[in-house]
Amino acid sequence: MSGYDAVVIDGFNGVFWAVVQHELDNAFQRIGKRVNWVLAADFMRAAAEIDRMVQPFLGSGDSVWGTKSTLQIQDFFDMDAFKAVRPAEGYDLNIVVGTGATLAGWEAPVVYIDLPKNVLQYRMRAGKATNFGAARAEESGHMYKRAYFVDWVVLNAYKQQLLSKIAVMADTQWDQSVNWLLYPDLADGL
């Protein structure tokens, strides 16, 4: 991504975004690059509002059944505030990072960080990840139900919309190891 003054790093829920940002920031500092970070999570609606928004899709609390969500990822964000954020002057690079980052509308290459659902479930059970937009981890059965009927429906549809914009696809399921795939290779595999 060298030669760009802005980059979008988007991806699936459950990615350890703070780790991604920290490791990249360290790498940029080593080469003397000043980076302005914009966090997609800062533009999400309040967790209580998101809880109310997803509730109709979760069915009764004592049932495993729910209804496939009709929500879109934009519903989880304050889109007016998010779209108002522009790359800042005085930096070598501006990066908007986190699930939903592409919603900022920047004209910039998109790096998409994916995560297999089984790894996300493991992280949820370990209390290291929550449902998309949730304030805290819940009982694992409840989190799985919400993931199945809401999160995965919304985030898989979003990923499909992004495919033509993705310059680099990364897999971060293993600690300290990232596998990368450039867009031409991604397109060949579709």
Side-chain angles (χ1 to χ4, degrees), residues 40-53 72-80 132-135:
D42 289 347
F43 299 93
M44 289 194 82
R45 297 188 182 281
E49 185 178 351
I50 291 172
D51 287 345
R52 285 190 297 277
M53 187 174 67
Q72 296 181 341
I73 194 167
Q74 296 89 331
D75 299 323
F76 290 76
F77 289 87
D78 177 347
M79 289 303 298
D80 291 334
F132 186 53

Side-chain angles (χ1 to χ4, degrees), residues 12-16 19-20 112-123 128 169-180:
F12 213 78
N13 183 51
V15 169
F16 294 147
V19 173
V20 170
Y112 188 90
I113 301 178
D114 212 355
L115 184 72
K117 290 178 182 73
N118 66 313
V119 174
L120 174 56
Q121 289 173 318
Y122 172 76
R123 290 178 180 183
K128 295 181 178 183
M169 178 79 81
D171 178 343
T172 60
Q173 65 181 301
W174 297 285
D175 290 342
Q176 306 302 317
S177 175
V178 177
N179 294 311
W180 301 93

Side-chain angles (χ1 to χ4, degrees), residues 30-107:
R30 282 193 299 272
I31 60 172
K33 297 285 185 188
R34 291 188 55 236
V35 179
N36 174 47
W37 293 94
V38 176
L39 308 180
D42 289 347
F43 299 93
M44 289 194 82
R45 297 188 182 281
E49 185 178 351
I50 291 172
D51 287 345
R52 285 190 297 277
M53 187 174 67
V54 303
Q55 188 57 47
F57 304 102
L58 300 180
S60 66
D62 59 347
S63 172
V64 297
W65 300 109
T67 307
K68 183 179 171 182
S69 176
T70 58
L71 297 169
Q72 296 181 341
I73 194 167
Q74 296 89 331
D75 299 323
F76 290 76
F77 289 87
D78 177 347
M79 289 303 298
D80 291 334
F82 203 7
K83 286 196 163 283
V85 175
R86 305 296 349 133
E89 302 220 2
Y91 291 91
D92 299 310
L93 183 61
N94 285 272
I95 300 176
V96 59
V97 63
T99 305
T102 307
L103 296 174
W106 290 11
E107 291 294 324

Side-chain angles (χ1 to χ4, degrees), residues 14-34:
V15 169
F16 294 147
W17 293 111
V19 173
V20 170
Q21 180 186 355
H22 175 76
E23 293 298 325
L24 286 172
D25 202 48
N26 284 343
F28 289 128
Q29 285 180 24
R30 282 193 299 272
I31 60 172
K33 297 285 185 188
R34 291 188 55 236

